[in-house]
Amino acid sequence: MSGLIKGWCPGAHRPMAAADGLILRIRPPAGRLSAAQARGLARLAARYGQGMLALTTRANLQLRAIAPADHAALLAELAALALLDADAATERTHNIVIAPFWREGDGTPELAAVLAAGLAGLQDLPAKFGVALDTGPAPVLGAISADIRLERAEGGALLLRADGAPAGRPVRAEDAVAEILTLAAWFIASGGVKNGRGRMRAHLAAGHLPPGQNLLRPAPAPASPVPGTRADGLLAAFSLGDLPAETLAALAELSPGIRLTPWRMLFLPGLAALPALPGLVLDPASPWPRVFACAGRPLCAQALGETRLLAQALAPHLPVGATLHVSGCAKGCAHPRPADITLTAANTGFTLARPGMDDLAGLDHAALLRHPERVFGQS
Ligand code: SF4
């Protein structure tokens, strides 16, 4: 096996080493799985992993606990399912998040395919540099990390916006990919990449102005999506984004096309109901889409504390609308943005951070498990 890295942003070609084996990130083309791909992935998770897939906030899937000796065989199986980029370099630039509520025949998958091919030609882009294709009736990906956004203005015009700019400029659908690539090339040429890193928002904040007249503002965003039934299908959530292989296999039989979302939910177009399945959450009031926890101990070698059991104990007590992040160390992999309530493992217990309040350090894991409600200021 080659290309093994330690650190964040794993791929399939370049997995991440964790305490329990390799982590492979799978970036399905256009963010969707056919029934055959879903069935196949479920089989691979059961055969090579622990029977579980993780949904990520980049609308990707992860397999973990893969034995290094199985890596090559797993790559061959992913390639056979058309779920593998051509090589590690192509995979590195394949960072496209798609608003999942597109309609069959509207050209979104084709747009994503042409864009992925174009981005593969810009190898100087940083690994985290990403594009949001947010071309539904109103932007839904505004809170999702991206460097370039293709979205709608009020009235329906398509607009191209550099992340961090309040407004963008109108583009024609047929020119959209070329315009995105031109903006990405401008980012490189104007010095946005330093030591292989860099994000558009920080580049603009440093005083660089994106080219063109950027006067068109995006339409107001609707409320954040919640699990359950929509007019055009179902959003299926899972606790901590853990998707059991058996559930994915069952969904493959029920839905001809499964779409990944950056909210760690699956969108199942056209479905109005689902039977009870392991791990499935359809309650719109469920806290799970608002609860984030990294692998923590013992799965991550850098972890200073256990996270997932703690998050499960805390979730039922989470106030309505609040976000909770339980992190095994200060790196904060699971939720890079601030959360309403953050518990971070340190050398001497957990530190609790809440807005407007002093941090509380040295909290004991066992005591938190015994009285999770106290984290939220209840007795
Ligand atoms: S945040 Fe969690 S997963 Fe990331 S390095 Fe720290 S312990 Fe590991």
Side-chain angles (χ1 to χ4, degrees):
M1 190 203 64
S2 65
L4 175 65
I5 55 168
K6 286 174 185 275
W8 45 262
C9 273
H13 289 285
R14 300 184 74 213
M16 183 198 294
D20 57 342
L22 304 181
I23 299 173
L24 271 71
R25 184 172 296 177
I26 298 152
R27 306 173 190 208
R32 63 176 174 173
L33 298 172
S34 67
Q37 287 172 323
R39 219 176 282 127
L41 266 184
R43 179 177 55 77
L44 297 182
R47 178 170 176 195
Y48 294 105
Q50 294 174 321
M52 191 72 79
L53 294 113
L55 300 171
T56 80
T57 54
R58 304 298 304 153
N60 293 316
L61 288 154
Q62 284 185 181
L63 285 168
R64 71 174 307 139
I66 305 300
D70 288 338
H71 185 222
L74 181 50
L75 287 187
E77 299 243 30
L78 289 171
L81 290 169
L83 289 172
L84 185 68
D85 285 305
D87 49 40
T90 306
E91 176 179 79
R92 199 182 70 83
T93 59
H94 188 179
N95 295 318
I96 304 170
V97 179
I98 302 168
F101 309 125
W102 49 271
R103 290 184 303 280
E104 288 296 338
D106 73 2
T108 300
E110 293 79 7
L111 184 73
V114 178
L115 178 58
L119 288 171
L122 292 173
Q123 285 295 319
D124 287 339
L125 286 175
K128 283 202 168 188
F129 194 93
V131 178
L133 293 183
D134 201 357
T135 54
V140 294
L141 301 180
I144 303 301
S145 172
D147 295 272
I148 297 177
R149 301 178 183 280
L150 186 67
E151 55 198 0
R152 297 273 173 201
E154 222 156 359
L158 206 52
L159 85 105
L160 180 69
R161 184 165 66 90
D163 186 53
R169 58 194 167 84
V171 290
R172 299 186 311 173
E174 58 269 36
D175 300 331
V177 169
E179 297 272 9
I180 290 169
L181 297 176
T182 299
L183 186 53
W186 168 83
F187 175 78
I188 297 169
S190 59
V193 188
K194 292 184 182 66
N195 300 321
R197 296 182 174 216
R199 300 302 301 265
M200 183 69 84
R201 180 174 286 269
H203 192 48
L204 299 195
H208 298 273
L209 287 177
Q213 290 238 313
N214 291 282
L215 302 172
L216 195 61
R217 290 183 178 265
S224 296
V226 294
T229 310
R230 296 168 41 95
D232 52 356
L234 262 180
L235 270 171
F238 302 87
S239 61
L240 295 176
D242 287 342
L243 170 60
E246 63 189 298
T247 297
L248 181 59
L251 292 176
E253 306 311 318
L254 296 165
S255 174
I258 296 174
R259 299 183 195 169
L260 298 157
T261 80
W263 311 296
R264 298 174 300 158
M265 293 191 265
L266 297 176
F267 179 55
L268 308 164
L271 285 196
L274 280 174
L277 293 168
L280 178 66
V281 174
L282 294 176
D283 177 5
S286 168
W288 282 119
R290 295 178 281 112
V291 179
F292 301 83
C294 70
R297 254 186 202 161
L299 300 178
C300 175
Q302 284 121 68
L304 300 170
E306 192 283 331
T307 52
R308 313 224 10 129
L309 289 176
L310 187 51
Q312 281 163 10
L314 293 165
H317 306 280
L318 186 62
V320 173
T323 50
L324 166 69
H325 179 195
V326 184
S327 187
C329 79
K331 196 169 168 190
C333 297
H335 194 260
R337 298 182 308 282
D340 296 315
I341 298 134
T342 305
L343 272 164
T344 306
N347 284 320
T348 51
F350 279 78
T351 301
L352 172 63
R354 292 175 286 186
M357 301 176 77
D358 291 337
D359 288 359
L360 277 177
L363 301 177
D364 176 60
H365 184 270
L368 289 167
L369 281 181
R370 272 197 308 278
H371 294 290
E373 73 284 356
R374 290 183 185 167
V375 166
F376 306 105
Q378 302 163 23
S379 58

